[in-house]
Amino acid sequence: MKHILPILMILLLSQQAVNSQTIDTVSTGAGYANQVWYSLANDEQGSAPKTNWDIAFDATPFGAALLANTITGTTVWVYAAGDTADWSTLDTAGLSTWTKYYNSDTTWSIGAFNQGASSTFDMGWGIYSSITHYVTGDSIYVVKLANNTYRKLWIMQLANGAYQFRYATLDNSSDQIVSLDKINYPGKNFAYYSMQNNAALDREPVNTNWDLQFSQYTAFIPSPYTVTGVISNIGVTVAQAMPVNVNTTLWTNYSFVTAINEIGYDWKTLNMSTFTFDITDSLVYFVQTQTGDIWKVIFTGFGGSANGNYIFSKELISLAGTSEQEQASFIEIYPNPANENATITYSTKANEEVLITVTDLTGKIYYQQQQSDNAGLQQCALSTSEWATGMYIVTLQSEGKVQSKKLIVQ
């Protein structure tokens, strides 16, 4: 028996990366002042003021998306009465009746300046040439900035990885042409620009370093409306499960989608009696990262505009590279900590032999049972009322694989 403790401790440590729940808080500040980029594995990766940019230029190798900072009041109209030849003579008569353009709330690849595209090679703001591989701008935009001043904007070209764009006040003063090269933003989704300050900005972390952005964005419910929530990175997919038992539901029963707003804003509602936020019950998000790891995320609190705090639990439930059965086998122990009883939930293949063992940290066995079950979700009930207060280790062994998890008895 003297070797059991080291072996169990090794198993415990190897499993802490999976099935280890963490409570975290992400703060965007009072008035939702910041955008925060977050890694489920490594926590916050960066933040930046939501107000310090006006336009975001796609910095990925083959992208041509252009976003507008609509959450600060930036408004985009396309000049429909003419084309780029009218740069100097643009007439804004009737501007209030023009169609406003917004970023998509389901994908990063369609920004306000990409709306209205009519064909495969139409980027909205310009036309792609399959011969030169350039995008040549064919539209003039009127942009109302957050400081209530106006600019006209022409995205002239995207060539060899560099954008060239022109902007000026409506009376043609402060006319300037700017070049912004993707090469200066390696690994980033977007390069940012402030027309208010005439400055390019490097605001966000490298794409592979974050999974979720905590921010405000424009949603369509059904009219455009600024909401506060969570949107996912390129290459990150999300599955929503509701209403479910948050402790036992399996991610394998749900479909992952690429829509960046799958988490979104509606996991909370404003209580009009208390002017605080109620969190939707029985709701779980499963987030699959770019590397294929799967995390379980459950929101538990929201501070509103007073502090911009998002409170949630996160748990790594699947490591990339393992088989589906390995990913789903050990699901949950509930309640944990336990008082008089606990239930082990796990999944099996048909006729799979499973040995369940519970020991304390000295290696003393408190429970051991061999089970052979049909395929699917299984449960094993433990009576812990006579067990001493402290930590125990629950181990599942099947087909040469071993998984362990902590159980606290109080």
Side-chain angles (χ1 to χ4, degrees), residues 10 26 58-59 68 85 93 114 136 138 147 176 188 191 201 205 217 250 253 261 290-291 301 317-318 374:
I10 290 171
V26 170
D58 196 324
N114 300 107
T136 301
D138 62 353
N147 62 3
Q176 58 185 303
K188 308 295 180 74
L201 302 165
Y217 64 95
L250 302 177
N253 294 331
N261 65 344
Q290 294 172 345
T291 61
I317 58 175
S318 169
N374 295 323

Side-chain angles (χ1 to χ4, degrees), residues 119-161:
S119 67
T120 302
F121 297 114
D122 187 353
M123 301 294 108
W125 60 266
I127 303 297
Y128 171 78
S129 168
S130 60
I131 298 174
T132 64
H133 303 295
Y134 296 172
V135 182
T136 301
D138 62 353
S139 302
I140 299 177
Y141 295 89
V142 174
V143 181
K144 179 186 177 183
L145 303 177
N147 62 3
N148 290 316
T149 63
Y150 289 79
R151 301 290 188 276
K152 54 183 177 181
L153 172 68
W154 171 15
I155 314 299
M156 302 172 72
Q157 192 174 64
L158 170 58
N160 299 319

Side-chain angles (χ1 to χ4, degrees), residues 43-300:
D43 302 332
E44 184 174 326
Q45 297 297 297
S47 66
K50 68 180 181 182
T51 58
N52 69 352
W53 65 282
D54 301 311
I55 313 171
F57 294 81
D58 196 324
T60 62
F62 302 105
L66 268 70
L67 311 182
N69 192 0
T70 57
I71 62 173
T72 63
T74 301
T75 309
V76 175
W77 300 269
V78 66
Y79 178 59
D83 56 24
T84 57
D86 298 324
W87 175 258
S88 298
T89 58
L90 179 144
D91 184 0
T92 59
L95 179 64
S96 62
T97 66
W98 296 8
T99 300
K100 298 177 182 178
Y101 288 89
Y102 297 89
N103 308 321
S104 168
D105 62 349
T106 60
T107 177
W108 293 105
S109 63
I110 302 177
F113 298 96
N114 300 107
Q115 302 290 354
S118 59
S119 67
T120 302
F121 297 114
D122 187 353
M123 301 294 108
W125 60 266
I127 303 297
Y128 171 78
S129 168
S130 60
I131 298 174
T132 64
H133 303 295
Y134 296 172
V135 182
T136 301
D138 62 353
S139 302
I140 299 177
Y141 295 89
V142 174
V143 181
K144 179 186 177 183
L145 303 177
N147 62 3
N148 290 316
T149 63
Y150 289 79
R151 301 290 188 276
K152 54 183 177 181
L153 172 68
W154 171 15
I155 314 299
M156 302 172 72
Q157 192 174 64
L158 170 58
N160 299 319
Y163 295 92
Q164 189 175 67
F165 59 99
R166 183 179 184 181
Y167 67 98
T169 57
L170 298 183
D171 64 2
N172 292 311
S173 63
S174 303
D175 194 338
Q176 58 185 303
I177 295 175
V178 178
S179 180
L180 191 151
D181 200 326
K182 293 184 181 186
I183 199 172
N184 295 322
Y185 306 89
K188 308 295 180 74
N189 288 345
F190 290 93
Y192 297 81
Y193 194 85
S194 169
M195 288 192 288
Q196 297 177 68
N197 299 316
N198 304 318
L201 302 165
D202 189 351
R203 301 177 70 252
E204 65 183 40
V206 171
N207 170 284
T208 53
N209 288 351
W210 63 279
D211 306 307
L212 305 173
Q213 184 188 98
F214 293 75
S215 181
Q216 291 186 295
Y217 64 95
T218 300
F220 303 91
I221 47 179
S223 300
Y225 190 80
T226 297
V227 296
T228 305
V230 182
I231 48 182
S232 51
N233 193 6
I234 296 170
V236 173
T237 57
V238 178
Q240 175 181 288
M242 175 189 169
V244 295
N245 183 325
V246 298
N247 298 295
T248 60
T249 190
L250 302 177
W251 64 266
T252 50
N253 294 331
Y254 299 92
S255 298
F256 287 80
V257 299
T258 59
I260 65 175
N261 65 344
E262 184 66 6
I263 296 178
Y265 65 92
D266 55 359
W267 45 268
K268 56 183 172 14
T269 54
L270 179 62
N271 187 320
M272 298 304 294
S273 298
T274 62
F275 292 99
T276 58
F277 285 87
D278 297 328
I279 305 303
T280 302
D281 194 24
S282 305
L283 171 61
V284 176
Y285 295 102
F286 298 108
V287 181
Q288 186 169 45
T289 67
Q290 294 172 345
T291 61
D293 295 343
I294 296 176
W295 292 75
K296 181 165 74 171
V297 176
I298 303 171
F299 288 93
T300 57

Side-chain angles (χ1 to χ4, degrees), residues 391-405:
M391 179 187 296
Y392 295 78
I393 299 172
V394 180
T395 303
L396 266 63
Q397 293 177 272
S398 64
E399 299 183 350
K401 298 184 287 290
V402 179
Q403 298 186 60
S404 297
K405 189 168 185 179

